[in-house]
Amino acid sequence: MDVVRYIHAADLHLDTPFLGIARETAQGEHLARLLRDAAFTAMERLFRLCETEKPHFLVLAGDIYNEENHSIKAQLALRDGCRRLEAAGVRVFLAHGNHDPLSSRLTAIAWPDNVTVFGQEAECRPVEQDGRVIALVHGISHARLRENRNLARQFHRDATQNCFQLGVLHCTLEGQTKADRYAPCTLEDLKAAGLDAWALGHVHERRILSQTPFVAYSGSTQGLHINEPGPRGCLRVGVSPAPGGGYRCRAEPVRLGPVQWAVAEADLDGVEQLDAAEARLIAALEAAAEATEPGCEALIVRLRLQGRTGLDSLLRDPTRQAELTERLEGLQTATPGIWIKDVQADTSPLLDMEAALAREDLLGETLRLAQKLERGPEDDLTALTDAALAPLYSHNQLRKLLAPLDASQRRALLEEARRLCTDLLEVR
């Protein structure tokens, strides 16, 4: 039997402007509005979940809205939702993150009595049921935009209370692939606090990092870009006593985000007619839509074209890509609606590669060189790419922007060079 039940959410990013969408797509303005609404829809679904299931409390582990926008709409919408939870008897514990530090908070907002907003130093609040303390929730907020303190080291178990104790923190754990490192700490720092569980924010992927203590990122409630694919939401956590003492946490993901991102791969191998290519594109998009979970209202797709096709040059032309995308706009009215963010052509010209490799001309020599590099020692390809890119890395300004290439990036460059040479020397 669960002695404590709570819902863990983070990284709502309400009112994110999605400027990249507006710049990169023909339907940018509509898509940006769709996504802004999606973040609020995810929050509304979160509040409804709490009203229906009535957990003991809701945890919001930072980045509820974007600091740079100072969004009154977002903050008031959050306040209104918390009032509803007050009526349902659900406590709310809120920690600010790097996008919504304490310095950005609207102090004019009066939060209902069920809400605890953690300050810039670690503090602890009890959760009571029937006159007894069933849990302690420890938390801390980011004080400023670039919080570089190790906030985890401020947490300590309250030895005077024999109950479940949870830490709420927006942070980057060592080893997590996150470029913007704020409130950095280690898993050992969290374990050293002696708490039973941690509800973390900042990393947008749902991750369970430890079972004892239970350490989890809930992930974002709504994916923000193409690199955040799949369903997004929160964690529903049940806490029960462990046989050997302490507590055991059981977490279930709950989908909240109404918009999903995906990469749809269309195999065009051997295709030489436009109508056949269009049919395969539609099939790839519909397959991606069928793979979504219930509750997905719109799917935003990167359409990746693959295979050897006689339409390679045409499909790589931005104007032709835009024309194809326009023809596929009818899928926006499907369920879920399908929106094409962009088209990525990874196709190759339709060519008898074995015959081309045997030819005694410039194309044959080029393809043989590419094959030798592909099958040879990694050092040979490294030496060639380093020599080719040396002028860029020697430039004072460019050197600061360019990161060293890894093995997969070098092989991708080789494949692109082979395709370009084939296109220029044979197809045209």
Side-chain angles (χ1 to χ4, degrees), residues 27 54 133 155 177 234 238 248 282 326 364 371 382 415:
Q27 326 99 301
K54 292 183 171 55
V133 176
F155 288 74
T177 53
C234 63
R248 179 173 51 201
I282 292 173
E326 185 177 349
Q371 187 181 74
T382 299
E415 180 58 33

Side-chain angles (χ1 to χ4, degrees), residues 59 61 63 122 140 147 152 154 168 170 212 215 223 229 291 321 340 355 375:
V59 169
D63 283 4
I140 193 171
E147 181 62 81
Q154 292 196 30
V168 182
H170 195 85
T212 308
V215 180
Q321 289 181 2
I340 300 175
R375 296 178 177 179

Side-chain angles (χ1 to χ4, degrees), residues 142-161:
H142 289 213
R144 57 191 70 86
L145 276 174
R146 296 199 170 274
E147 181 62 81
N148 53 21
R149 297 178 296 164
N150 185 332
L151 301 179
R153 292 178 181 171
Q154 292 196 30
F155 288 74
H156 303 284
R157 184 179 187 86
D158 185 344
T160 67
Q161 295 286 346

Side-chain angles (χ1 to χ4, degrees), residues 4-321:
V4 175
R5 293 178 298 108
Y6 66 93
I7 290 175
H8 168 199
D11 298 285
L12 281 69
H13 288 278
L14 298 173
D15 243 4
T16 299
F18 297 101
L19 296 176
I21 285 290
R23 288 194 303 267
E24 296 171 10
T25 65
Q27 326 99 301
E29 185 178 346
H30 187 102
L31 273 178
R33 188 182 309 113
L34 179 69
L35 281 165
R36 282 196 297 270
D37 291 345
F40 283 95
T41 299
M43 182 173 69
E44 171 60 25
R45 289 179 175 180
L46 175 64
F47 290 143
R48 286 207 304 264
L49 176 69
C50 291
E51 288 174 316
T52 300
E53 302 206 354
K54 292 183 171 55
H56 294 104
F57 56 89
L58 165 67
V59 169
L60 297 174
D63 283 4
I64 291 88
Y65 28 75
N66 279 327
E67 183 275 337
E68 59 265 35
N69 299 321
H70 293 280
S71 171
I72 294 176
K73 171 186 174 182
Q75 296 186 61
L76 290 177
L78 177 64
R79 189 276 317 272
D80 292 345
C82 289
R83 284 179 173 174
R84 288 163 50 188
L85 297 191
E86 182 180 34
V90 178
R91 294 281 300 277
V92 179
F93 295 96
L94 190 158
H96 287 268
N98 57 288
H99 274 270
D100 55 358
L102 289 172
S103 59
S104 70
R105 188 161 59 94
L106 291 181
T107 56
I109 289 181
W111 295 98
D113 292 339
N114 65 320
V115 176
T116 295
V117 178
F118 292 114
Q120 62 181 337
E121 303 298 332
E123 52 189 300
C124 175
R125 293 289 183 271
V127 178
E128 296 185 359
Q129 184 179 49
D130 300 327
R132 64 184 184 89
V133 176
I134 61 169
L136 292 180
V137 180
H138 304 248
I140 193 171
S141 288
H142 289 213
R144 57 191 70 86
L145 276 174
R146 296 199 170 274
E147 181 62 81
N148 53 21
R149 297 178 296 164
N150 185 332
L151 301 179
R153 292 178 181 171
Q154 292 196 30
F155 288 74
H156 303 284
R157 184 179 187 86
D158 185 344
T160 67
Q161 295 286 346
N162 183 25
C163 64
F164 174 74
Q165 300 194 29
L166 171 73
V168 182
L169 180 61
H170 195 85
C171 66
T172 309
L173 250 65
E174 185 178 276
Q176 299 302 305
T177 53
K178 187 73 176 173
D180 45 346
R181 298 183 64 80
Y182 300 110
C185 63
T186 67
L187 187 58
E188 287 67 33
D189 290 329
L190 301 183
K191 291 181 177 181
L195 305 183
D196 301 299
W198 287 87
L200 306 181
H202 189 47
V203 173
H204 287 194
E205 300 293 329
R206 184 176 66 248
R207 295 175 187 172
I208 308 299
L209 304 178
S210 171
Q211 289 293 339
T212 308
F214 181 71
V215 180
Y217 282 106
S218 63
S220 57
T221 56
Q222 167 61 57
L224 302 183
H225 49 72
I226 193 65
N227 294 322
E228 296 185 357
R232 301 281 159 158
C234 63
L235 286 175
R236 175 171 47 205
V237 184
V239 180
S240 58
Y247 296 90
R248 179 173 51 201
C249 295
R250 183 189 69 260
E252 301 174 67
V254 180
R255 184 198 177 102
L256 298 174
V259 176
Q260 186 169 315
W261 299 82
V263 175
E265 297 186 350
D267 182 7
L268 301 177
D269 204 45
V271 173
E272 297 192 61
Q273 302 297 323
L274 268 176
D275 55 346
E278 183 181 54
R280 293 202 185 185
L281 300 186
I282 292 173
L285 292 169
E286 290 179 341
E290 288 175 3
T292 61
E293 294 183 0
C296 178
E297 298 174 3
L299 182 68
I300 303 179
V301 176
R302 168 169 288 159
L303 185 55
R304 182 177 292 161
L305 315 182
Q306 297 179 314
R308 295 189 177 279
T309 169
L311 303 174
D312 174 70
S313 296
L314 181 147
L315 294 172
R316 289 179 176 276
D317 186 306
T319 301
R320 302 295 178 258
Q321 289 181 2

Side-chain angles (χ1 to χ4, degrees), residues 396-415:
N396 287 336
Q397 296 300 320
L398 290 177
R399 185 170 58 246
K400 300 175 183 178
L401 302 174
L402 296 174
L405 298 179
D406 59 28
S408 64
Q409 290 170 323
R410 294 179 190 278
R411 294 201 170 272
L413 281 177
L414 176 61
E415 180 58 33

